[in-house]
Amino acid sequence: MKNLEREIPETGWQKKLHEIVFEADTPAGKVFDVTLIALIIASLLVVMLESVKEIRDDYGTVLWRAEWIFTILFSIEYILRLVSVRRPLRYILSFYGMVDLLAIVPTYVSLLVPGTQYLLSIRILRLLRIFRILKLSEYISEGKVITSALIASRRKISVFLVTVLTIVTVVGATMYVIEGEENGFTSIPTSIYWAIVTLTTVGYGDLSPKTPLGKTLASIVMILGYAIIAVPTGIVTAELTRRVNKVSTQFCPECHAQDHDADAVFCKYCAAKL
Amino acid sequence: MKNLEREIPETGWQKKLHEIVFEADTPAGKVFDVTLIALIIASLLVVMLESVKEIRDDYGTVLWRAEWIFTILFSIEYILRLVSVRRPLRYILSFYGMVDLLAIVPTYVSLLVPGTQYLLSIRILRLLRIFRILKLSEYISEGKVITSALIASRRKISVFLVTVLTIVTVVGATMYVIEGEENGFTSIPTSIYWAIVTLTTVGYGDLSPKTPLGKTLASIVMILGYAIIAVPTGIVTAELTRRVNKVSTQFCPECHAQDHDADAVFCKYCAAKL
Amino acid sequence: MKNLEREIPETGWQKKLHEIVFEADTPAGKVFDVTLIALIIASLLVVMLESVKEIRDDYGTVLWRAEWIFTILFSIEYILRLVSVRRPLRYILSFYGMVDLLAIVPTYVSLLVPGTQYLLSIRILRLLRIFRILKLSEYISEGKVITSALIASRRKISVFLVTVLTIVTVVGATMYVIEGEENGFTSIPTSIYWAIVTLTTVGYGDLSPKTPLGKTLASIVMILGYAIIAVPTGIVTAELTRRVNKVSTQFCPECHAQDHDADAVFCKYCAAKL
Amino acid sequence: MKNLEREIPETGWQKKLHEIVFEADTPAGKVFDVTLIALIIASLLVVMLESVKEIRDDYGTVLWRAEWIFTILFSIEYILRLVSVRRPLRYILSFYGMVDLLAIVPTYVSLLVPGTQYLLSIRILRLLRIFRILKLSEYISEGKVITSALIASRRKISVFLVTVLTIVTVVGATMYVIEGEENGFTSIPTSIYWAIVTLTTVGYGDLSPKTPLGKTLASIVMILGYAIIAVPTGIVTAELTRRVNKVSTQFCPECHAQDHDADAVFCKYCAAKL
């Protein structure tokens, strides 16, 4: 949202409109957001119900009409958003702008390509707006803590992912050679899929080793997967622990250095009393 | 229990009764609680055994009688609790009051609606009373640590849950489009169910992708699920770590060192008396 | 082992024997232990191979003989241990004493009750002796850290387990009522078994919900199971973090208080310099 | 790589060659590495595609030729690496040297033993070189943190693994006796395989207990596996937390306070210069 704040227009009616459709501080804005969320949920239900054959057979047309009503309403909303911001393009290219568009396009496309309307489930992303109505700030800040922890450990995590991908590829190929096509390991990609299913401890069982050697390798992979789950957990936890315990947002009066420990009494950089 | 303490009546017999049925300090109270727990366990076994067809066929009537005996006993107990508290309504509306009621109602209802008696398993909730007989306080306090940690991180957790729900919905709908009804993904709700089964690494295998594209998406979801388990773990761990390393917030009068153990008497850095 | 140290006899030959069979410090003792472990592993292989039908059919008698040779050797070893300790009864009742006995009994019993010889796999417990040959102390101390962390959090863990058991019972019974016998949920115990399989994210798939309502409840259970894994992890991690970071084993020269922080300079109880 | 630094030859053309094939600092070196990685990925795709029957039937010869082209290119590269280092043997025995060799050998072997070419997937290990092109150092250091944490906790982890192996063996053998061959537990090794599948919460479902007793034991194993995952996680997390909160071991000359951040210049307790 941040990069939209600077978008607020001066002119009266546009400013007013912006307040209503983009913010939830004014009564009007709150009403707008609540109705919007109600509509989103309703439309999601419609999409889901329509995908259930029994229901589609009986209430097909009703759902189809409802679907179109929602799409038209959302289209109007989208236009309102466009006219109420100063730099429309900026909004269009923003995350929420994208989502808002993707939330209406499929219905129109479904006229040409049937089936695409199910992609409307992307509308759930619009529900993230719900945080706007709850005490947004708090949730956002909480979210920020998690996100920053993940960002801080992105390199560690990517190292971990590369390791995992390497393991599953090698294991997958080996399994393909060991078990072979007669036991369902019909190709290396399939075997890699099996390796992922096993390492992540999902274990569908649609594919499982039959030969003693295969079962032995599988056992090793399982114990490996069971143990290395500790690594990402450790990485994220270590970062989060740091953030949870080190909460000081003090600025040093002298050198303006931040990031002091909660229990710091003097600035660790310039020795000024905090 | 807390909000019941203030409920203790003055009048002799009622006070006495309250001591027996609500507390476990007096010998009589202990005996009452122990027998009660024995009865609860016995009744639970009866409910479970009755649900096993073979056993029901042979011992149906015996179990049926036993069931009624337990229910009558619990009903009497319930009445005793009612008369022994000062404000019965308050007890009725308390958590334990609810549970105690729900633990007898189904039997009576089953006369009208057969099958409901199996809901009696809710009686297991009554077993939480068992902590009363063990050194309650300690367990309660331990439980409190966990609970407070969970409460402290409730926002982070809800952010996490919303993310998870968003992922499974989008993934579910996409899978429905990719795999389609012929591969068992008969509807979006079903596909979302599959997405949850996969993301949580449960992996029943009653539904599993058949198309290469589907398997690819599934693989991504699995690795995602395998990795993001780190987030809730990190959140809870960070909070618990803080509580377990219960550092006092005392400042040393001399060297301003903080971070002393709760039981410290002297500053561990400059030996000044705290 | 600890409570056996005080068992070392004075008399020469007995002392010598004790050194050999119980300790691994002397060359003789080391040789004894290594051969013992080799024998244990060999005997384990024999037990396992014998359980494989194909192999049993071809090499039945050979394996049978080998089995008896191992048992006799272990019996002799057991007697040696008996005569080499001062208080045999104490050894018999010690953990290792039990294991040593259980490692030979099944073979004799199998003469009366066939099949019991497979219980010989308990011999693997004897392999724990292997730590005696590796730098025992280090591993033991590491093990102690883990054990003490688990003991320190035993109450929290039991609170967690009770919660889990309560959840699976209530969920299981509810599933039994929802899905019913026609969908494989043939009894409450079976449904509880399903609930455990689901909550622990094992997900065999031998039992899985068929009704929409059942799938919804299952989804909730899965997400719950996926999230609450964070609790035991958090508990153990918090304890371990404490132990890993707080390693000081210093005793205060004045008040003999222990358990100071690694970075403590003065005793936090009596202010004496450490 | 480290032990190769000292390998850089003096002589001009050899030095130049070394720069190109072993380093990514010079433009030529970067180009070489990027092309190499492109070739590796391409060759991996070829290997995988060739394993898919449908594709092999149609494009078999094309893929076969491509495979040989890649192998010859990699063989040339291998020779270049050999001649450009001072001590070829040292390179041959280094990790990357091994991988580079294993990445070409199978193709030649497949002339004698068909099928081995699928082992070429080991080429993915060569992709680890990719870190050389990204800001290597950073990733390496991150990787080091994880590795050192794992090394520091290797003993704890091995204690954990021994415990797990002991559990699965005992449980496996017991299950074999309980369930028996008629329920699919055809041998102790198979039962141990099942125990691993269950304890690690993978749960294929290709094997699952049928008898009430078996299901009870299985339930215990699941809850155990669900709980003890906390141990490796705790171990690794504790170590990582320590490393991430990289506290220096400096003592404050004034107040003896330790536990300062690595980048601290003044004591945060008494403002003395560190």
Side-chain angles (χ1 to χ4, degrees), chain A residues 51 138 204 225 229 245 263, chain B residues 155 188 198 201 203 226 242 258:
Chain A
S51 73
E138 285 172 352
Y204 283 133
I229 179 72
N245 299 342
D263 61 353
Chain B
R155 276 210 207 75
I188 290 182
T198 304
T201 78
Y226 184 62
R242 241 171 109 201
Q258 202 186 20

Side-chain angles (χ1 to χ4, degrees), chain C residues 7-24:
Chain C
E7 302 289 299
I8 302 159
E10 272 99 19
T11 58
W13 69 270
Q14 212 179 353
K15 196 170 192 305
K16 189 106 207 61
L17 189 60
H18 187 280
E19 259 174 30
I20 296 165
V21 296
F22 277 105
E23 274 134 68

Side-chain angles (χ1 to χ4, degrees), chain C residues 43-78:
Chain C
S43 74
L44 274 170
L45 286 176
V46 168
V47 175
M48 293 190 181
L49 290 175
E50 210 209 337
S51 73
V52 185
K53 200 173 176 325
E54 298 70 39
I55 299 172
R56 186 169 58 246
D57 295 346
D58 307 358
Y59 309 97
T61 41
V62 185
L63 293 170
W64 184 82
R65 290 211 192 86
E67 187 40 61
W68 271 105
I69 293 161
F70 286 124
T71 309
I72 287 153
L73 285 173
F74 290 146
S75 310
I76 295 165
E77 178 219 346
Y78 188 68

Side-chain angles (χ1 to χ4, degrees), chain B residues 82-93:
Chain B
L82 275 185
V83 297
S84 70
V85 290
R86 218 198 251 148
R87 305 211 204 80
L89 196 66
R90 195 165 196 172
Y91 160 69
I92 291 167
L93 300 175

